[in-house]
Amino acid sequence: MTVPTAVLPTLRDGDVTLRPIRARDAKPLEKVLLANRGWLRQWEATYPGGGSVVDARASIRNLLAHARSGNALPFVIEHDGQLVGQLNVSSITFGSLSSATIGYWVAQEVAGRGITPVSVALATDYCFSSLHLHRMEICIRPENAPSLRVVEKLGFRYEGLRRRFIHINGDWRDHFAFALVAEEVPRGVLRRWREGRVPEDAARVTAEDRAASAYPLPIADR
């Protein structure tokens, strides 16, 4: 199953909108990224051995290529009509796995207003109800307290510590993994959150993993 760019959905809830990213978003997106450089750099994916350059136009081309192949849903996040962030559903796989991964960021000036959890809930509900995916995953650095609050609010289940999982800000970084399967939210993630039915402590990280994440993975001498 593929999801052509032309039919990528626009998802809305109140003053929050997820809409497909477009080539003409390059300049406004780059403006927001540069204004939030210090805020975002510590969570920014990088390439091993390479630098980190803000090139919104190239990034959008890459995202749209993945969308055309049916492997991703690249969105911008708008609040009251203003571009304030991005959300990308990636690694979309159908068949016996039927899963995907969500990544996101928002500008510092709008952090803490509930925009990110609404966006994540909208995307997850769409993937479950319209794409009929079975599992959605979010992986977060242990130090990223704002993102950890998002999965806590929405009740994504903690599934474990992934050592040296993604290259972030110049090095391989540990991540905590969280997930939901469709059967857990038959009436939707957003509705469950709004109705106050999120299971308590679903996203609680175990004490063992919290302690382990405080120390680098021992690497054998080569």
Side-chain angles (χ1 to χ4, degrees), residues 32 35-36 39 79 82-84 106-113 115:
V32 177
N36 287 269
W39 162 253
H79 180 248
Q82 298 298 311
L83 192 157
V84 296
V106 294
Q108 186 174 13
E109 65 192 51
V110 300
R113 299 188 191 178
I115 295 168

Side-chain angles (χ1 to χ4, degrees), residues 165-212:
F165 182 54
I166 302 176
H167 203 270
I168 301 284
N169 194 22
D171 202 357
W172 295 104
R173 310 289 182 174
D174 293 350
H175 282 66
F176 292 144
F178 304 84
L180 278 176
V181 295
E183 294 87 350
E184 293 176 275
V185 284
R187 294 194 293 172
V189 179
L190 186 60
R191 181 171 177 178
R192 185 178 73 164
W193 177 39
R194 289 276 167 76
E195 292 178 350
R197 295 186 292 105
V198 173
E200 188 175 350
D201 296 335
R204 181 182 293 276
V205 177
T206 64
E208 294 80 5
D209 285 354
R210 181 72 70 179

Side-chain angles (χ1 to χ4, degrees), residues 18-83:
L18 280 185
R19 65 161 176 81
I21 199 166
R22 304 172 297 212
R24 62 179 176 270
D25 289 320
K27 285 187 177 180
L29 182 60
E30 194 163 288
K31 181 179 179 181
V32 177
L33 286 168
L34 289 172
N36 287 269
R37 194 73 173 132
W39 162 253
L40 297 173
R41 182 183 285 115
Q42 59 189 326
W43 320 122
E44 190 174 79
T46 48
Y47 292 98
S52 177
V53 177
V54 176
D55 187 344
R57 196 173 303 279
S59 175
I60 291 172
R61 284 198 301 267
N62 182 56
L63 290 169
L64 292 177
H66 283 289
R68 286 191 294 271
S69 69
N71 297 321
L73 298 173
F75 296 102
V76 294
I77 302 172
E78 293 182 337
H79 180 248
D80 282 337
Q82 298 298 311
L83 192 157

Side-chain angles (χ1 to χ4, degrees), residues 8 45 49 56 72 131 160 222:
L8 289 177
L131 297 188
R222 297 178 180 176

